[in-house]
Amino acid sequence: MTAPSTRNVSEREARQVAEAAREQDWRKPSFAKELFLGRFRLDLIHPHPTPAAEAVQRGEEFLAKLRDFCETKIDGARIEREAQIPDETIAGLKEIGALGMKIDTKYGGLGLTQVYYNKALALVGSASPAIGALLSAHQSIGVPQPLKLFGTQEQKDQFLPRLARTDISAFLLTEPDVGSDPARLATMAVPDGDEYVLDGVKLWTTNGVVADLLVVMARVPKSEGHKGGITAFVVEAGSDGITVENRNAFMGLRGIENGVTRFHQVRVPAANRIGPEGAGLKIALTTLNTGRLSLPAMCVGVGKWCLKIAREWSAAREQWGKPVANHEAVGGKISFIAATTFALEAVVDLSSQMADEDRNDIRIEAALAKLYGSEMGWLMADELVQIRGGRGFETAESLAARGERAVPAEQVLRDMRINRIFEGSTEIMHLLIAREAVDAHLSVAGDLIDPEKSLTDKGKAAARAGGFYARWLPKLVAGPGQVPGAYAEFGELATHLRYVERSARKLARATFYAMSRWQGRMETKQGFLGRIVDIGAELFAMSAACVRAEHLLSTGEHGREAHQLAEVFCRQARVRVEELFARLWTNTDDLDRKVVAGVLTGTYAWLEEGVIDPSGDGPWIADATPGPARRENVHRRIR
């Protein structure tokens, strides 16, 4: 059997596939879920959770070793220039155990907590974003994490020792015509005795060019004895029939080992299947619950570096008789970078510590951290380029050639751009988080707005909804945020926590009103849902910043300065929140849809006249028809 190069699926089928992959239950409390429901559960994050002393010691010891390696063995300029991480650098990372940061010590790994794993990624990512991407793809979404969560003991014993020390892994889901809509996945895994036979093409396989082991998502056809569905497999990268047909090049992350991988009649033992047939997407999404935290962790590292450069440059560069930092137009940008870096680190550390303690369900928190970190990280890098002026646009190599400090601001801007797309684009994250945020509503009232449900089902749903909303809606009228002395233990930051509590209730009321107004059309209101999620992200960041500042004050570590940064951040965030609330109901969404329809039908084609299109020829989407390799295999083994 061969697979089609693409699968045509209906919108409803696509939604059903995505819905089936979700974790349906909430077995543990979630601060962010409660926030979207209008309930400010400060008790879930305060006092700030703290790591065990043994975990701190182990983590700090590795960070010291990693810092020395970054300072003496990583040449970020060379990686940027040659667009490749040198083999000896990767070999050195293996030697110090960097491949096994998250792998348990009984398998030869370092057994770091999520907190220290993220700190390590922030550190190494500041030395070379390409190395940060390599290590993150290997451990956050590659083979180790799915095996840790869903693998058999035999699979763990077989693969984890290799992954901890020698073998690089990659995660293969995306296809040339399949991005965030996995229902159209075309790569097939056909059962054949005690094996599966894989056929298909995977795109943007981060680490795929150098990987030794792969996690591959493929569709198993339903047949007698086989449930079928999208399924996860561990595949040896050196297997017959696997060809890396292209090493992709990008505007940033020039050292990333990302390619196109073809599978032609690749035989995979059934023992290498992770979990049951049909569980592949659920495995992928569950893996990302904590795996997503690696990306905002590296954004924290970028924020710290941007702050350092902004401070040093703005003190040295004078304009009109004084340092540019003392001009309000520049000073405002520096304040934004400082305050946002503090808040983003608070979000990542809080989410990571909660992940380590496993006391809360952090699927929304991790998604918010990824969304907020990628958007704010990009803005901080952009502001640094603006602060640097013409030097921000000039390459580090050019700056050095004419005798100035080689500051790679333009490179950081290019490297950061992908974060708004990696591991779920901003637009997809808005929809994913929005679905989780309205889960309680859909659980009790979903059948009311489902056109395929019977009148009997709708009647039962109406009864459930009536009971739920009779209890829930009155609680959105008043709360601690209206009590002047509430949260007094936070000092001057109490006013911001009261604002968060009031805003959470306001957000929940807006969500309920929107569901009542649009009902089944709610899912089409992506602009509205995006703003709802962005408000929640700001409120989460404000909460994390205040809790972190109070924690630092109680431990005597820069507490006063932390309070100042939290104060500034919350003031800045409140301005953004108020704008987002206003735009919930005053926007151009309807007009935008009309313009889009006109653009697609060619109504405004005349507007495109007067330019030359420098694009080359070729199809918009490459042919992914299964079959033998068409190109030379560019896979390379790290020696």
Coordinates of all heavy atoms in Angstrom, one line a residue, residues 143 147 155 159 213-216 232-236 268-269 272-274:
V143 N 13.2 12.1 21.1 CA 12.9 10.8 21.6 C 12.8 10.7 23.1 O 11.9 10.0 23.7 CB 13.9 9.7 21.0 CG1 13.6 8.4 21.6 CG2 13.8 9.7 19.5
L147 N 9.5 8.9 25.4 CA 9.8 7.7 26.0 C 9.6 7.8 27.5 O 9.1 6.8 28.2 CB 11.2 7.2 25.7 CG 11.5 6.6 24.3 CD1 12.9 6.0 24.2 CD2 10.4 5.6 23.9
Q155 N 11.9 -0.2 26.1 CA 12.3 1.0 25.2 C 13.2 1.9 26.0 O 14.2 2.4 25.4 CB 11.0 1.7 24.7 CG 10.2 0.9 23.7 CD 8.9 1.5 23.4 OE1 8.4 2.3 24.2 NE2 8.3 1.2 22.2
F159 N 17.0 2.7 24.6 CA 17.3 3.9 23.9 C 17.8 5.0 24.8 O 18.7 5.8 24.4 CB 16.1 4.4 23.2 CG 15.6 3.5 22.1 CD1 14.3 3.0 22.1 CD2 16.4 3.2 21.0 CE1 13.9 2.1 21.1 CE2 15.9 2.4 20.0 CZ 14.7 1.9 20.0
L213 N 18.5 8.9 16.1 CA 17.2 8.3 16.4 C 16.1 9.4 16.1 O 16.3 10.6 16.4 CB 17.1 7.9 17.9 CG 17.9 6.7 18.3 CD1 17.9 6.5 19.8 CD2 17.3 5.4 17.6
L214 N 14.9 8.9 15.6 CA 13.8 9.8 15.2 C 12.5 9.4 15.9 O 12.3 8.2 16.1 CB 13.6 9.7 13.7 CG 14.8 9.8 12.8 CD1 14.4 9.5 11.3 CD2 15.5 11.1 12.8
V215 N 11.8 10.4 16.3 CA 10.4 10.1 16.6 C 9.6 10.5 15.4 O 9.6 11.6 14.9 CB 9.9 11.0 17.8 CG1 8.4 10.8 18.0 CG2 10.6 10.6 19.1
V216 N 8.9 9.5 14.8 CA 8.1 9.7 13.5 C 6.6 9.5 13.8 O 6.2 8.5 14.4 CB 8.6 8.8 12.4 CG1 7.9 9.0 11.1 CG2 10.1 8.9 12.2
A232 N 3.0 7.0 16.9 CA 4.4 7.5 17.1 C 5.3 6.3 17.1 O 5.0 5.2 17.7 CB 4.5 8.2 18.5
F233 N 6.5 6.4 16.4 CA 7.5 5.4 16.3 C 8.9 5.9 16.6 O 9.2 7.0 16.3 CB 7.5 4.7 14.9 CG 6.2 4.1 14.5 CD1 5.2 4.9 13.9 CD2 6.0 2.8 14.7 CE1 4.0 4.3 13.4 CE2 4.8 2.2 14.3 CZ 3.8 3.0 13.7
V234 N 9.7 5.1 17.3 CA 11.1 5.4 17.4 C 11.8 4.7 16.1 O 11.6 3.5 16.0 CB 11.8 4.8 18.7 CG1 13.3 5.1 18.7 CG2 11.1 5.5 19.9
V235 N 12.5 5.5 15.3 CA 13.1 4.9 14.1 C 14.6 5.2 14.1 O 15.0 6.4 14.4 CB 12.4 5.6 12.9 CG1 13.0 5.0 11.6 CG2 10.9 5.4 12.9
E236 N 15.4 4.2 13.8 CA 16.8 4.4 13.6 C 17.1 5.2 12.4 O 16.6 4.8 11.3 CB 17.5 3.0 13.5 CG 17.4 2.1 14.7 CD 18.4 2.5 15.8 OE1 19.2 3.4 15.6 OE2 18.4 1.8 16.9
V268 N 10.2 -0.9 10.4 CA 10.3 -0.5 11.8 C 9.7 -1.6 12.7 O 8.5 -1.9 12.5 CB 9.6 0.9 12.1 CG1 9.8 1.2 13.6 CG2 10.2 2.0 11.2
P269 N 10.4 -2.1 13.6 CA 9.9 -3.1 14.5 C 8.7 -2.6 15.3 O 8.6 -1.5 15.7 CB 11.0 -3.5 15.5 CG 12.3 -3.0 14.8 CD 11.9 -1.9 13.9
N272 N 9.1 -0.9 18.5 CA 9.5 0.5 18.5 C 8.3 1.5 18.5 O 8.5 2.7 18.5 CB 10.4 0.9 17.3 CG 11.8 0.3 17.5 OD1 12.0 -0.6 18.3 ND2 12.8 0.9 16.8
R273 N 7.1 1.0 18.5 CA 5.9 1.9 18.5 C 5.8 2.4 20.0 O 5.9 1.7 20.9 CB 4.7 1.1 18.2 CG 3.4 2.0 18.0 CD 2.2 1.1 17.8 NE 1.9 0.4 19.1 CZ 1.4 -0.9 19.1 NH1 1.3 -1.6 18.0 NH2 1.2 -1.4 20.3
I274 N 5.6 3.7 20.1 CA 5.4 4.4 21.4 C 3.9 4.5 21.7 O 3.2 5.1 20.9 CB 6.0 5.8 21.4 CG1 7.5 5.8 21.0 CG2 5.9 6.3 22.9 CD1 8.1 7.1 20.9

